[in-house]
Amino acid sequence: MADLYREQILDHSRNPHNFGEIEDPDFTYEDSNPLCGDRVRIDVKVEDGVIADIKFSGRGCAISQASASMLTDMMKGRKVDEIRELTAEDMLDELGIQISPARVKCALLGLKVLKSGAYGLTDWPHER
Ligand code: FES
């Protein structure tokens, strides 16, 4: 089963979904993993409180890029408010494999960027 998830992560990193930038996003945020300098940017277009479009760009290891790709798939069409509910555990569950403590920051970079972008927009409190 872990092989299946591993394959899925490799596939997302080689052929990322929703990769690119949105020309006129309602919010955008970019951040890096301080340990390695790898970056992820996420742009979001909101319509009636719903994530109408979401794209990510950046560069980094397979786990950071795959998790950002999976996150955009997960959130497209969902309510913006649902970003607040997303936890680190949700993201790690989505990846489906055991992530070593050293790679957790890679796996959570996209989520950190998405939450930072959303909280900046609506002034929600930051979770750390
Ligand atoms: Fe840089 Fe994973 S090694 S984000």
Side-chain angles (χ1 to χ4, degrees), residues 18-21 39-42 55-59 65:
N18 308 303
F19 192 85
E21 294 177 5
R39 304 192 74 79
V40 166
R41 166 181 158 157
I42 295 183
K55 286 191 189 295
F56 87 98
S57 54
R59 54 161 187 79
Q65 302 302 294

Side-chain angles (χ1 to χ4, degrees), residues 32-33 35-40 59-65 102-103 105-107 109:
S32 62
N33 179 345
L35 299 177
C36 61
D38 290 347
R39 304 192 74 79
V40 166
R59 54 161 187 79
C61 65
I63 291 179
S64 69
Q65 302 302 294
R103 306 308 297 277
K105 275 199 160 50
C106 306
L109 179 57

Side-chain angles (χ1 to χ4, degrees), residues 13-127:
S13 71
R14 287 185 193 127
N15 305 296
H17 301 186
N18 308 303
F19 192 85
E21 294 177 5
I22 295 173
E23 203 160 297
D24 184 23
D26 289 297
F27 64 88
T28 184
Y29 199 80
E30 181 173 344
D31 207 346
S32 62
N33 179 345
L35 299 177
C36 61
D38 290 347
R39 304 192 74 79
V40 166
R41 166 181 158 157
I42 295 183
D43 296 348
V44 176
K45 191 81 195 157
V46 179
E47 277 168 25
D48 298 328
V50 168
I51 298 173
D53 199 9
I54 176 167
K55 286 191 189 295
F56 87 98
S57 54
R59 54 161 187 79
C61 65
I63 291 179
S64 69
Q65 302 302 294
S67 60
S69 172
M70 288 172 165
L71 181 64
T72 57
D73 274 351
M74 277 164 69
M75 296 314 290
K76 200 181 242 184
R78 304 261 295 264
K79 290 194 177 122
V80 177
D81 285 353
E82 292 182 57
I83 296 171
R84 192 194 332 222
E85 313 299 327
L86 269 180
T87 64
E89 203 175 17
D90 294 334
M91 193 67 245
L92 296 174
D93 281 353
E94 188 71 14
L95 286 164
I97 58 165
Q98 194 68 36
I99 303 286
S100 69
R103 306 308 297 277
V104 166
K105 275 199 160 50
C106 306
L108 298 181
L109 179 57
L111 181 60
K112 177 183 163 196
V113 167
L114 182 60
K115 281 184 177 272
S116 300
Y119 293 146
L121 179 76
T122 61
D123 216 16
W124 289 335
H126 251 294
E127 286 170 15

